[in-house]
Amino acid sequence: FINKLIREYILKSQDVVIVLNEEDKKKWGFKNVKVVPNPHTIKSSKISELSNKQVLALGRLHKVKGFDKLLDCWKIVNFKHPEWKLKICGEGEEYQNLLNKVNFLNLNDSVVLTNKFVPVIPEFLESSIFVLSSEFEAFGNVLVEAKICGVPSVSFDSPYGPRDIICDGEDGFIVGFNNINEMANKLNYLIENPEVRVSMGKYAKINSEKYNLDNILELYNNVIMQKIL
């Protein structure tokens, strides 16, 4: 409680406080809070053809990433589309637990756990859908990276970043927080409708320009100039 009061006092006394998304801004509720997202961290002139039967997930293998729930979701998807694969790229302390769950759900033939971090651009280019199952995301750089590679995303409506990044229904889908059935339904929909995947992928690439470094620097410049003038 004391730490919260001290933090609020410090933030209120600043000329401006910059956060990464609108939800974070609403949480603090101060007039001096401005939103400037992260710029993209990768560049790719190529985009995915969105024809490979692979759904991609990226991140450290930690409870907060919700990969255990993603496996429950994938069990539903796999029942309808056993020819598709889920590839989870990352390493961490949850690897053995996730591997045990893959075995328990009998998903050995349709789930790949790399147990290591890999270059992300080739993975995006070889995938047709990106999925994010996190319990919490401060921003969600991987969603921006998916856009850059022209890959539509499906994400839980987790606090605080995905809703700011995904244009729901245009370049991906936001589904109810921890709603496994809804996520499975959206993945199945994109699998079964390749023309929708392609349309969303095109918009994803276009919308990724929002996170171009020049555009982000302009936002910072605007915030600074507003305080100077």
Side-chain angles (χ1 to χ4, degrees):
F1 177 74
I2 301 253
N3 287 340
K4 185 175 183 291
L5 289 178
I6 293 173
R7 186 165 63 245
E8 288 185 358
Y9 172 78
I10 292 173
L11 292 178
K12 285 181 180 179
S13 66
Q14 305 305 305
D15 289 333
V16 64
V17 175
I18 293 176
V19 296
L20 294 173
N21 55 69
E22 291 292 339
E23 287 186 71
D24 220 9
K25 177 181 177 180
K26 291 177 184 176
K27 182 186 74 172
W28 289 111
F30 305 145
K31 292 182 179 180
N32 64 339
V33 177
K34 305 294 181 182
V35 176
V36 180
N38 285 337
H40 59 62
T41 54
I42 65 170
K43 291 183 179 180
S44 176
S45 59
K46 296 180 180 179
I47 60 172
S48 172
E49 294 181 358
L50 304 178
S51 58
N52 196 21
K53 294 179 180 180
Q54 177 171 287
V55 175
L56 178 67
L58 295 169
R60 59 196 173 96
L61 305 184
H62 187 277
K63 284 281 190 184
V64 75
K65 295 301 182 181
F67 291 132
D68 55 335
K69 295 182 178 66
L70 179 56
L71 292 177
D72 290 328
C73 168
W74 191 252
K75 181 66 175 179
I76 300 171
V77 176
N78 177 251
F79 181 78
K80 290 189 71 175
H81 302 284
E83 75 280 10
W84 278 68
K85 292 190 181 297
L86 170 65
K87 188 171 186 179
I88 301 175
C89 297
E91 64 182 60
E93 62 269 31
E94 281 297 298
Y95 171 69
Q96 190 59 52
N97 289 335
L98 293 172
L99 186 61
N100 291 342
K101 186 158 189 173
V102 168
N103 294 329
F104 176 75
L105 295 175
N106 196 26
L107 293 172
N108 311 70
D109 293 334
S110 70
V111 174
V112 176
L113 293 169
T114 65
N115 197 28
K116 64 179 180 180
F117 292 106
V118 297
V120 297
I121 292 178
E123 298 298 337
F124 281 118
L125 296 181
E126 292 176 4
S127 302
S128 295
I129 305 168
F130 180 72
V131 61
L132 188 71
S133 54
S134 296
E135 297 281 334
F136 173 86
E137 284 288 338
F139 179 66
N141 289 317
V142 286
L143 294 173
V144 176
E145 293 168 351
K147 283 176 180 279
I148 289 167
C149 295
V151 179
S153 298
V154 179
S155 173
F156 284 143
D157 192 11
S158 52
Y160 289 97
R163 182 164 287 279
D164 270 21
I165 300 172
I166 294 176
C167 299
D168 189 33
E170 180 177 277
D171 60 23
F173 290 114
I174 296 286
V175 303
F177 184 53
N178 285 342
N179 191 325
I180 291 168
N181 286 325
E182 187 181 2
M183 176 171 276
N185 288 339
K186 292 302 184 185
L187 289 174
N188 281 331
Y189 176 76
L190 287 177
I191 286 172
E192 294 161 6
N193 294 275
E195 72 285 355
V196 176
R197 288 204 308 270
V198 170
S199 174
M200 285 190 163
K202 288 179 179 177
Y203 279 110
K205 183 65 174 179
I206 292 169
N207 294 340
S208 72
E209 284 302 309
K210 173 183 176 181
Y211 304 96
N212 182 288
L213 180 58
D214 290 338
N215 292 333
I216 301 302
L217 289 176
E218 184 176 351
L219 291 176
Y220 272 109
N221 186 60
N222 290 339
V223 169
I224 293 170
M225 292 305 295
Q226 286 174 9
K227 287 301 172 184
I228 293 177
L229 297 179

